[in-house]
Amino acid sequence: MKLTILGCYSATPRALTNTTSQVLEINNHMFLIDCGEGTQVHLRRHKIKFNRIKHVFISHLHGDHFFGLVGLISTFRLLKREADLHVYGPKGIKEIVTLQMKLADSWTNYNLYFHELSSKESQLVYEDDVVEVHTIPLEHRIYTNGYLFKEKEGERKLDVDLAEEANINVAYYRKLKQGFDVENEDGVLIRNESVTRDAEKPKSYAFCSDTVYKEDIVPIIKDVDVLYHESTFLEKHAHLGPKTKHSTAKEAASIAKQANVGTLVLGHFSTRYGGLEGFKTEAEEVFDNVKLSGDGKVFDFS
Ligand SMILES: [Zn+2]
């Protein structure tokens, strides 16, 4: 599991800071999460192949989280994209994107699907053989969802040498990977554990931005490997949290602790502060494993 932070600051893009956008690679899938202004430029800078992005998840319709989307969709067309593109986001996202395209008399030559969300309960929005994605209902000034990406339980790992030694026909390898005991060529029952190992523990990632401190999300994100939680403010501006519906670094850490996550990645920093160290220090008062995101930072969680 690899996370590339394309942008992790709030409000407006600046000379040295980008608004929210990140790429999650999990089990050979690539998901784009939020799409602030300039996202396509940052994707190019990171040499991320546009064609590998087939699913875009937008948290909410504040500009710093989706103003890059229509540009990206348009560029895909100019590059003669053929692959389908799926966009998940709040109700209204289809209208906003298609209105711009309609007035420009510009349509995509690839299939563009919108999956509009309006539920206030967590729901499964994407699923295939190896990954599933659930919404995490957040509380912000407008309708907002975080997203939970979960690998599915993988197959058991077969030790081919041991299977050969045990004289098992290759035709049974699939059954072994699925956890069954099988008979070998001599009719002897071979116990599954003697030739296979446990599958690797499935990885999970939760993206939570933007939100006020909200303990309701804890059961949804319980025990995730990595939690990205917004931390717009430091403690000295904690009073702004409930008003603007944002969180402090310490509040993010409290959520991480209650949910027993593996690693907390902080982001969505207000640009009012000189540096980011204060976010880490304040969060570490509550939770041990804290990392700061940064534009261009790549985290390898494999
Ligand atoms: Zn917002």
Side-chain angles (χ1 to χ4, degrees):
M1 187 167 77
K2 186 170 141 190
L3 179 68
T4 303
I5 307 287
L6 302 176
C8 65
Y9 290 85
S10 62
T12 60
R14 295 173 167 223
L16 299 174
T17 57
N18 307 331
T19 50
T20 302
S21 181
Q22 50 184 252
V23 172
L24 177 72
E25 287 180 71
I26 182 168
N27 212 327
N28 293 319
H29 287 46
M30 186 174 265
F31 297 120
L32 179 64
I33 308 168
D34 276 348
C35 192
E37 237 173 300
T39 292
Q40 58 176 308
V41 179
H42 311 314
L43 286 169
R44 282 187 191 274
R45 200 166 281 150
H46 285 271
K47 300 193 175 7
I48 291 171
K49 292 222 167 62
F50 285 176
N51 265 335
R52 283 199 64 200
I53 296 170
K54 302 200 168 65
H55 302 273
V56 182
F57 295 86
I58 301 292
S59 61
H60 66 300
L61 296 181
H62 280 155
D64 53 337
H65 293 256
F66 91 102
F67 276 176
L69 183 62
V70 80
L72 190 67
I73 287 171
S74 170
T75 295
F76 283 170
R77 180 182 67 90
L78 293 171
L79 295 176
K80 305 200 183 329
R81 178 190 176 102
E82 289 180 355
D84 296 352
L85 183 71
H86 294 263
V87 176
Y88 305 77
K91 192 163 170 38
I93 195 164
K94 181 178 179 182
E95 186 187 349
I96 264 187
V97 171
T98 52
L99 179 64
Q100 290 200 52
M101 290 163 64
K102 186 177 148 196
L103 295 179
D105 196 19
S106 164
W107 300 99
T108 61
N109 46 346
Y110 54 92
N111 292 323
L112 177 60
Y113 298 100
F114 291 94
H115 304 265
E116 294 199 310
L117 309 169
S118 54
S119 173
K120 296 209 166 129
E121 305 288 324
S122 176
Q123 54 182 164
L124 178 70
V125 289
Y126 173 80
E127 181 177 25
D128 62 23
D129 291 350
V130 290
V131 181
E132 54 187 46
V133 185
H134 301 254
T135 56
I136 307 168
L138 300 175
E139 190 181 330
H140 192 41
R141 301 194 302 279
I142 55 173
Y143 177 74
T144 304
N145 283 297
Y147 294 98
L148 170 65
F149 300 82
K150 276 164 75 174
E151 260 184 327
K152 289 185 176 175
E153 193 80 49
E155 292 188 320
R156 295 186 64 77
K157 299 269 177 239
L158 176 67
D159 187 321
V160 177
D161 289 342
L162 287 178
E164 278 175 5
E165 265 174 47
N167 200 21
I168 299 169
N169 192 304
V170 190
Y172 287 120
Y173 284 8
R174 177 112 212 106
K175 282 242 166 259
L176 287 168
K177 288 182 188 169
Q178 291 166 345
F180 294 101
D181 299 336
V182 298
E183 274 186 8
N184 72 1
E185 300 279 40
D186 312 312
V188 179
L189 186 74
I190 305 295
R191 306 214 50 93
N192 191 285
E193 311 85 76
S194 66
V195 290
T196 67
R197 285 178 283 114
D198 287 345
E200 275 169 37
K201 192 179 162 285
K203 293 266 191 306
S204 53
Y205 173 69
F207 169 86
C208 295
S209 186
D210 298 357
T211 187
V212 73
Y213 177 73
K214 189 172 195 277
E215 289 180 359
D216 307 14
I217 67 173
V218 168
I220 305 170
I221 63 171
K222 194 90 186 143
D223 299 324
V224 292
D225 292 300
V226 182
L227 166 66
Y228 176 95
H229 195 291
E230 78 127 283
S231 56
T232 307
F233 301 119
L234 293 174
E235 276 309 292
K236 62 180 167 190
H237 293 115
H239 60 282
L240 295 176
K243 200 165 99 190
T244 60
K245 301 281 189 198
H246 284 298
S247 308
T248 64
K250 209 168 179 175
E251 287 170 336
S254 172
I255 295 291
K257 188 178 180 188
Q258 292 170 64
N260 189 37
V261 311
T263 303
L264 169 66
V265 179
L266 296 175
H268 200 265
F269 309 114
S270 164
T271 50
R272 78 186 67 209
Y273 305 109
L276 298 181
E277 268 313 304
F279 289 91
K280 192 162 191 282
T281 313
E282 291 189 359
E284 279 174 343
E285 287 172 23
V286 179
F287 186 76
D288 284 336
N289 194 8
V290 180
K291 296 196 186 307
L292 291 172
S293 54
D295 296 353
K297 260 196 190 175
V298 179
F299 295 98
D300 192 342
F301 295 109
S302 51

